Amino acid sequence: MGSVRAVLIDIDGVLTVSWQPLPGTVEALREIREAGLAVALVTNTTSRTRASIARTLADAGFPVSADDILTAPAVTAAHLAEHYAGARCVLLNSGDIAEDLAGVTLVDEDQADGEPPDVVVVGGAGPEFGYAALDRAFGHLQRGARLVAMHRNLYWRTDQGLRLDTGAFLAGLEKAARVEAEITGKPSPAFFEAALAHVGVGADEALMVGDDIESDVLAAQRAGVTGVLVRTGKYLPRTHRDASGTPDHVIDSFADLPALLRDPRGSAQQQL
């Protein structure tokens, strides 16, 4: 681990659950900061802006600012600016993330009905993902709109248990409309490229800590980043067993990361 210069960290399920710090995570992040490692909090969270996330985490004691946070909405804004400049976009999302979509032309459904949008942008699932909203999105896709999704997560962990997420709805839209979504957040390679550029290191100098074995850990490993799976958040033994690959390291909690950085031999490939 001597070559590690930066740590990429998922937030939900790794540092917090329902925005409450998991035991030992505040102290562990402070220790990593004090060791001089660069830090980027990389999240598919689509319910809050970077500034809001930073305030919540800082109030809980985490040594972070908005500049440390890279969200799927922020990366989505960059993707739309590069590939669909000036496009009229309809957003299906639970939560207000307009601040992180600066420069994106968002139209509401009433406006879109008169002139079909160019892009349907899908964020995080919630009460807004009802039949009427999904059917409208389906109609736009049938009329030629492109489909851009911030992630494919099937579920996430809250203090009330696992909750259904965007991936379950996105699969239906793709199959019904016979289109394939462009994914901008994790596990997209472009997301990890953006995260590495954010901290200014190469893939071989970074590690990624996450609770989603596919989207966080194995996706990072395919990008050349060392992967660390934590047994918190959405972690389930069955998804670990059935995964498409093997994590570089498995630890019980983010609180164990400083020890892993000091001596990786004790944590690599722990048994299920």
Side-chain angles (χ1 to χ4, degrees):
M1 291 288 181
S3 63
V4 173
R5 295 176 51 211
V7 182
L8 312 180
I9 309 164
D10 184 32
I11 299 173
D12 194 17
V14 177
L15 297 180
T16 67
V17 168
S18 294
W19 301 105
Q20 296 302 307
L22 289 166
T25 56
V26 171
E27 294 78 9
L29 186 56
R30 286 177 180 163
E31 186 172 344
I32 290 165
R33 287 282 207 193
E34 290 167 1
L37 297 176
V39 168
L41 306 187
V42 292
T43 177
N44 278 348
T45 296
T46 55
S47 60
R48 299 187 180 205
T49 64
R50 294 167 64 235
S52 173
I53 293 170
R55 284 194 299 269
T56 298
L57 294 177
D59 288 345
F62 289 103
V64 300
S65 69
D67 290 339
D68 298 317
I69 298 171
L70 186 65
T71 65
V75 174
T76 299
H79 176 85
L80 292 170
E82 179 178 356
H83 298 283
Y84 300 105
R88 300 170 70 255
C89 303
V90 164
L91 175 64
L92 178 56
N93 181 69
S94 184
D96 183 5
I97 54 171
E99 181 181 324
D100 281 350
L101 292 175
V104 177
T105 302
L106 295 175
V107 295
D108 62 32
E109 291 293 346
D110 292 336
Q111 294 172 308
D113 286 342
E115 181 180 347
D118 304 302
V119 183
V120 173
V121 181
V122 180
E128 294 82 358
F129 278 58
Y131 175 82
L134 289 166
D135 189 51
R136 283 194 297 270
F138 174 55
H140 298 323
L141 296 174
Q142 290 185 91
R143 291 189 289 273
R146 303 299 293 268
L147 179 59
V148 173
M150 298 184 191
H151 61 76
R152 288 190 182 277
N153 294 356
L154 292 171
Y155 50 82
W156 81 99
R157 172 77 65 180
T158 73
D159 54 9
Q160 302 298 313
L162 295 177
R163 302 296 297 272
L164 199 63
D165 208 346
T166 299
F169 303 98
L170 183 63
L173 277 177
E174 288 178 309
K175 190 168 183 177
R178 298 185 179 183
V179 299
E180 183 174 352
E182 300 169 34
I183 306 299
T184 54
K186 296 176 293 182
S188 148
F191 188 93
F192 290 101
E193 290 171 8
L196 292 170
H198 188 74
V199 292
V201 305
D204 60 344
E205 300 173 303
L207 60 82
M208 171 70 206
V209 187
D211 64 329
D212 187 317
I213 190 169
E214 297 288 351
S215 293
D216 292 337
V217 179
L218 298 181
Q221 290 177 194
R222 288 192 291 271
V225 177
T226 298
V228 180
L229 177 66
V230 294
R231 291 191 176 103
T232 56
K234 66 170 64 173
Y235 174 87
L236 294 171
R238 67 174 182 267
T239 57
H240 189 171
R241 285 192 302 268
D242 298 340
S244 62
T246 304
D248 292 322
H249 300 277
V250 183
I251 56 179
D252 287 333
S253 165
F254 183 80
D256 299 319
L257 187 63
L260 174 65
L261 289 167
R262 289 191 293 268
D263 182 9
R265 293 170 298 178
S267 301
Q269 306 310 335
Q270 290 184 9
Q271 296 298 310
L272 292 177

